[in-house]
Amino acid sequence: QIQLVEAGGGLVQAGGSLRLSCTTSGGTFSSYVMGWFRQAPGKEREFVAAISWTGGSTNYADSVKGRFTIFRDNSKNTVYLQMNSLKPEDTAAYYCAADPNVLRLRRGRPIYWGQGTQVTVSS
């Protein structure tokens, strides 16, 4: 069993940038597909981005393509989400997720979740 701890959330003005990080412990990081999801108040949790075990393949929600970048450093057991050109509609709690199975993660049912970090974008 692994533990996921997110960091890097905060308040930023529209057009600004933030970098989220998710550090894992208790498992073999490179065995897991990693992803980011978000949940805004009153809305369902939605997929944001995912990255393969080696980092060679990434996938993004249409709403963040070209603005967000997911990458990982397997030597540091950490996955990142670089968020640029932020918009008020990006405001949400952002959750890190991990699963050995990419389909299960992409379907929003990963085995492991982080506790979430809040991102607030002001207009």
Side-chain angles (χ1 to χ4, degrees):
Q1 185 170 352
I2 66 171
Q3 292 77 45
L4 291 72
V5 179
E6 300 102 329
L11 174 64
V12 63
Q13 289 188 332
S17 298
L18 280 175
R19 178 179 291 185
L20 305 182
S21 65
C22 172
T23 301
T24 70
S25 60
T28 304
F29 181 69
S30 59
S31 299
Y32 294 93
V33 176
M34 300 298 297
W36 289 94
F37 291 76
R38 67 186 182 186
Q39 187 169 20
K43 295 188 177 181
E44 294 187 354
R45 189 174 298 187
E46 65 175 2
F47 170 77
V48 175
I51 188 166
S52 62
W53 304 266
T54 62
S57 177
T58 57
N59 187 247
Y60 297 92
D62 288 343
S63 58
V64 307
K65 278 181 183 177
R67 300 188 298 121
F68 290 12
T69 302
I70 186 171
F71 59 102
R72 66 191 292 165
D73 185 340
N74 285 358
S75 70
K76 295 182 178 180
N77 294 344
T78 301
V79 62
Y80 303 90
L81 185 68
Q82 178 66 42
M83 305 185 293
N84 298 330
S85 302
L86 282 161
K87 305 175 181 180
E89 51 263 44
D90 294 318
T91 295
Y94 282 71
Y95 297 88
C96 178
D99 198 301
N101 186 295
V102 60
L103 292 180
R104 191 160 54 206
L105 185 141
R106 285 286 285 112
R107 291 170 181 167
R109 297 183 178 277
I111 295 177
Y112 302 110
W113 290 101
Q115 83 286 353
T117 186
Q118 180 67 36
V119 172
T120 302
V121 184
S122 63
S123 57

